[in-house]
Amino acid sequence: MEYNNNMSTVSKGGTGQSSQIHLAGSWHGELNGGFSRGRRKSVAVAVLQEEDEERVLQETLKVAVSEMKHSKSGVSESDGNFFENFSALPKKQQSLQFRKNAGSSKENEQSEEDILNNRLDHPCKDLPHPTKKEILDLYRILVSVVYFRLGSVDQPFPAEQELYSYLHEMFNSHVSINEHNSMVLTVSKETHPDNILLVTVIEASHLVGKDINGLSDPFCVMGILPNGDSKKPFVTAPKTPNVKCPPHHSKDKDKHQHHSAQDLQSTTIIKEQLNPKWNENFRFHLDCSKANGWFHLDVWDHDEETSVLEVVKKSGEVQGIKGVKRLLKEVIQSTRLGGSNPDDFIGCVNIKLDTIPSWGLSGMYPLVSKSHRSKACGEITLKLKMSLQRANQSYQVLSPQTVHRVLWLHIVHHEVARLDQLGAWDGELPSKAMTILQQHAVQYEISALHQSLCRWLAYSQECTMCVIDFKSFFTYGETLRQSWTPYALSADEEQYLQKSFQSFITYGIDMLKRQQDMFPPTNKPAIRRLQYLLLCLAQINDMEFAERNALFQPSCQGVIIDAIKEDICNWYRKKHDEIVSQDDGTETITTLTSLTNAINTQAQRLLNFVHKTYQSVLEIQYFDIVYQELARILMVDVAKCLSSSIHSNHSLDDVEGEEYSQRSTALFMLYLALRDFVAFSEHLSERDQVNLEVKGYHKFFKRAVEKWLTVARVRAQERIKKAVELDQVALVDTMVKHSTSAVDVATCFAQIRHFWQQLDWPDTVGSYVFVAKVTDDICHGAVNYANIIHEKLRQNGYYDDEGQFDITDQLCIAINNIEQVRRSLALMPESLGWQRIQLAMEKEYGDTAGEQCQDTLQTMMGSADEDMVNVIDHVVQHVGERMRPDFRRFLRSLLNAKIQLQIDDAIDPLMEYLDTNIITLHNCLLRTNFDRILRDIWIVLVNELNSVIKDNNKIITGKPLLFCRIQETLEILAHLFHADGKGIPLATVRNATFNQLKTFVESNVADTIEVIEEFYAQKIQVVNESIEKKTEAEFGTLAVKCYYNDITNKLCVLLINGSNITPKDKSGTSDPYVILRLEPSFVFPKSPSQKSSIVKTTLHPLFDEKFEFPVTRDQCRHKGACLHLIMYDHDIIKSDDLEGETFVALDDIPGIKKAFSHDFSALKSVTLPLLIPEENNHSPFLLSSLKSRTTDSVAQEFAKKRSQLLKIAK
């Protein structure tokens, strides 16, 4: 329905009625107490107050529809709710989709436990099976690792016994308790291995510039101190840039700082840098005396040996005051030390060895100075890590890397075996396991790459892949990727890694092939797991190792896309079999609809929750792939089902009644489901949308739509007849009445439009045929409804002419009903998409075809609208005709009433009659219909008043008081019908008949002088209107120039020429001349008329004559003052013939309103139309009024003069 269902309900009577009803009541109250002209006007304004027409119509339809839904009128039930059922199909489809989406999180949704239990569970094949000797060797190594733990003094460790217990628990099937105790005892008697300090000098930053150019040539010298007290820095001998320099003793030896050349190590020299980068590794052997010492590092600026002369030559490189100071320093040092220029100290760092934890130290350390006299600036980035140097262990048969790998495998397998139930393990190991792994890696200097490799191999075992969360896999893979160095692994290690990657890829792809089960789209944790699985696959694919060993064939994206297709095809077949099995194992249109709806629901979920995951991780257009696969499979089943339905029990041919409704409902439900599925194609790329077969789904339903429109036309006509038959009056708005039939019919049309809108036929060009059919059906039904309502009025005696006519609710309701249904036609262009069809036709076949389609549809609607308006006009016009006899009776009574009777009392019967009927019209009619009928009543009323006055002319002539009553009557009626702009327009009120009546009445009320002045004023108005409108002059024209000479006080006239005058002689020409007069004559008593010369045998006379009239400005400004020009045809034998007359208003000529100091040459000529007295006399009442004044000589003289002129004209 297009009606606004959010409008507020209007109260029905009582205190809820509008103020207009109360004012209408007060109108009747004032009638009973006497009616004054002022009161009449105010009440008319209130009663005719303008309504918001659209609001009234919308509320009318809205409340009526609401009442119909709760009533049992029997209209919709008469055809089994045919239109309601089909109109509700889209809502039913939407409701179905909503219920599926609303319950998507629970309906057929697996629990987290079910999802995890469905994982592929492989037996453990990767756990190595070493020999007894290898096991014992491995176990002894691990016992040694635990016993000789490395770490800072304050580093928390699990208790030693806990570590031993964890080891034995892990290997209890291979190592007995006695063997364990024996190994612990043996290791405890061994000599403590020497500690090794591993140092990486990475970079320094913000160093102080020591050279005259503001830069430095930094290098580092480092060593181990027994304690942290170093009063003097390490010094070095001259060095070659970018090569390591062996340190030597300073000449100024100190007992606290005594080192051999082997004690100190240095980095390379970086020339001219304040932010040097080294990335150099150093190894320090720590004996027992140094185990608790300090790591000390000095940063120096290297200076080459140079003479004073060379130093002075550098003065050109000096920059700023600091540079000058450095230059002076170098000169002094070169002079004092005899050419020996030692390196400049920049800063140092001290780190206590027993603060280094097992995992090492890494960070940026600030440089400090040795004394208060020197200033240090900058930082240096270091990595420090402790290790052990064991004596030769001949019993060890496994390499440290192998031991570390096997250790990882056993620990992870041990932890998996301890899990209570299958779940998403994050891979976190207990502190005991992490301590053992870390200590082994540190003590045996296992590289970061090998550590990452061992951890990945351990976690990617087939027995553990099914329990470890993919987020953890991604973290392990990222660590491996960051530490990766091509060809850094042995052949065996690369083989292990390749096998591990292949196993993980196989497992991941198997999961993707079961994605709909393993990763339900509405399960957020499952989608997060899917995201990390894809990240892991992408991570492996991006590694150099994967490309070198071709782990994905043909490509990573290709393998995943194949898995996606297999997964969605399996889901489709599974869902298809599930739905078919619920419908007795037979595939029908209904089961196909259910399947399509299930696909739509799943497609929406995949689009919302899964597509962006694939797109962001792998740049795979997941939804495009899934949709195309679903579309391909679905169209096969649709074509198979619908093609067979044409010859099966699903066909609509030769089916009627309830069976047709059931079959067509099933078909259209399938259509709507397919329409919703096709709507998803908007999310595909333009390339993928091309040649998409599913977009042609509507072709299967063309015959069904044609059949439905044929049935709908018949059902609509039946419903219209039934609606009128069961018609009921319903007060919807306090000011508007209607009956249920209008709402029934408008609702029926709205349901037809709504059904077409919801079909949303994809083929816009092809839809023109259907839209034209829908338009024709609605138009035909609307016109049929109007004719039925009109005929019902006739049968109820509306056109009978017996007794006084009073407007009834039935009449207003009938008019409103037709108008409401007529207005519903205006909704068709937008709701049926006329503009869209026109544009499509223009694009396909050109502008002409599009315009023809639009014209055809507009013609259909325009023809129906015109037919319905004609019916309304026919009814409305008859209202006025029915009221005419009553108007005549009331107006005659008004004229025959005693003169002494007040106007309110005399007009009261007429006004009471108008009050009763206009109130009924205003309360019951829509605004449009109210304006129509009010306008027609006004025309009939004014015409009837004119007729009554003409019929009683002899009675009213010479009775000014009676004319005053008529004048007041006109004013009261005009105010009533106009109502200060809220009634009919003022132009309609002041029609030609009204103006003639007004002039006639005013002329009979005014004195003779005023009548004559008004006569000439109207003549001037006629001429001016003809000039403004450029109306063709039927009797010719006359050109003149006029101005007032204020020096001579004369009116100057130049008679120029005539044109196209009427031939009066037998020769076809005339002998024209012109008489010039100033009128009215009583205004210009001293200005006699003047005559021009006669121009022989011409229809275009040229006069070119000047005339002057002695007048004053005040005379020219008088009302009706004019120059009257009369053209005659001169005849010798008989009297002259009249060619025509014209008038020039004197108050408009130059020189009257303001001074004019020029002559005729400065003026433009004015062309005046010649008029015949009978043709231009718009006020016959003025002359008749003057003629009726038999005792007035002035009136008689004027009437006689005009009568003579009229006689000549005839």
Side-chain angles (χ1 to χ4, degrees), residues 220-250:
C220 302
V221 178
M222 65 201 85
I224 306 300
L225 297 177
N227 56 62
D229 183 16
S230 179
K231 294 183 179 179
K232 293 185 179 180
F234 297 141
V235 296
T236 62
K239 295 164 279 295
T240 302
N242 296 322
V243 296
K244 292 188 178 181
C245 308
H248 74 291
H249 293 288
S250 170

Side-chain angles (χ1 to χ4, degrees), residues 439-594:
Q439 287 294 324
H440 182 266
V442 168
Q443 295 179 27
Y444 285 90
E445 299 183 30
I446 306 298
S447 68
L449 172 60
H450 280 86
Q451 290 183 59
S452 301
L453 171 67
C454 293
R455 181 168 64 172
W456 172 266
L457 294 176
Y459 281 117
S460 62
Q461 300 174 85
E462 291 183 349
C463 62
T464 57
M465 275 192 293
C466 59
V467 296
I468 299 180
D469 187 72
F470 290 118
K471 182 179 180 180
S472 301
F473 271 115
F474 179 73
T475 303
Y476 309 148
E478 186 64 18
T479 305
L480 179 62
R481 186 188 66 82
Q482 292 176 357
S483 60
W484 182 258
T485 302
Y487 303 103
L489 300 178
S490 66
D492 290 341
E493 290 169 339
E494 286 204 353
Q495 185 177 2
Y496 288 140
L497 182 60
Q498 180 177 356
K499 180 182 177 183
S500 173
F501 276 163
Q502 288 174 339
S503 178
F504 182 84
I505 292 170
T506 301
Y507 175 74
I509 296 301
D510 287 343
M511 295 282 282
L512 294 181
K513 289 179 180 179
R514 298 197 300 159
Q515 176 184 319
Q516 307 305 315
D517 295 327
M518 302 308 303
F519 307 103
T522 55
N523 187 304
K524 291 183 179 179
I527 294 301
R528 187 165 56 251
R529 288 196 298 272
L530 171 64
Q531 180 183 10
Y532 278 104
L533 170 59
L534 297 177
L535 285 170
C536 290
L537 294 175
Q539 189 181 64
I540 295 173
N541 182 62
D542 292 339
M543 292 183 66
E544 176 269 343
F545 183 82
E547 182 179 359
R548 174 154 49 93
N549 292 275
L551 297 182
F552 291 95
Q553 291 293 338
S555 65
C556 179
Q557 282 196 344
V559 171
I560 293 177
I561 288 173
D562 290 342
I564 292 171
K565 291 180 179 180
E566 183 176 339
D567 167 62
I568 202 63
C569 290
N570 291 336
W571 177 88
Y572 178 92
R573 290 305 169 198
K574 179 179 177 182
K575 183 62 66 173
H576 175 275
D577 296 342
E578 175 187 329
I579 294 175
V580 170
S581 64
Q582 295 173 358
D583 194 21
D584 300 329
T586 305
E587 185 178 87
T588 62
I589 291 178
T590 304
T591 58
L592 193 57
T593 302
S594 300

Side-chain angles (χ1 to χ4, degrees), residues 787-942:
N787 291 333
I788 293 175
I789 292 294
H790 189 212
E791 181 59 29
K792 190 174 182 179
L793 275 179
R794 185 187 303 277
Q795 293 174 1
N796 291 336
Y798 172 66
Y799 291 99
D800 297 344
D801 296 329
E802 299 177 359
Q804 176 175 310
F805 176 76
D806 290 311
I807 295 176
T808 62
D809 290 350
Q810 181 187 8
L811 172 63
C812 296
I813 289 171
I815 298 174
N816 282 346
N817 287 345
I818 299 174
E819 176 65 21
Q820 286 183 2
V821 174
R822 184 186 75 84
R823 289 187 181 187
S824 69
L825 299 181
L827 301 173
M828 288 192 297
E830 182 177 356
S831 59
L832 298 182
W834 289 6
Q835 184 68 24
R836 185 166 57 94
I837 293 174
Q838 179 182 356
L839 295 176
M841 294 293 285
E842 289 175 354
K843 184 177 180 180
E844 187 76 16
Y845 301 110
D847 293 346
T848 303
E851 292 173 358
Q852 287 177 349
C853 292
Q854 186 68 229
D855 291 344
T856 301
L857 297 174
Q858 290 288 353
T859 300
M860 289 182 188
M861 187 176 71
S863 177
D865 184 84
E866 183 179 355
D867 291 343
M868 299 184 75
V869 170
N870 289 339
V871 174
I872 294 175
D873 288 343
H874 189 72
V875 175
V876 168
Q877 290 168 7
H878 189 69
V879 170
E881 292 301 321
R882 288 294 308 274
M883 297 177 77
R884 186 185 294 275
D886 299 323
F887 286 155
R888 185 181 302 112
R889 175 165 53 84
F890 289 124
L891 291 173
R892 284 176 179 173
S893 299
L894 175 66
L895 294 180
N896 294 329
K898 295 179 180 180
I899 295 297
Q900 294 82 7
L901 194 63
Q902 292 292 327
I903 182 62
D904 286 349
D905 297 330
I907 201 175
D908 193 57
L910 173 62
M911 297 307 295
E912 185 175 357
Y913 178 74
L914 287 173
D915 284 345
T916 302
N917 289 286
I918 291 178
I919 288 174
T920 302
L921 292 171
H922 184 258
N923 289 350
C924 300
L925 286 179
L926 297 173
R927 178 71 196 193
T928 303
N929 291 331
F930 178 73
D931 289 343
R932 283 194 186 112
I933 203 165
L934 196 65
R935 183 169 54 250
D936 192 71
I937 291 174
W938 171 250
I939 293 172
V940 172
L941 179 59
V942 173

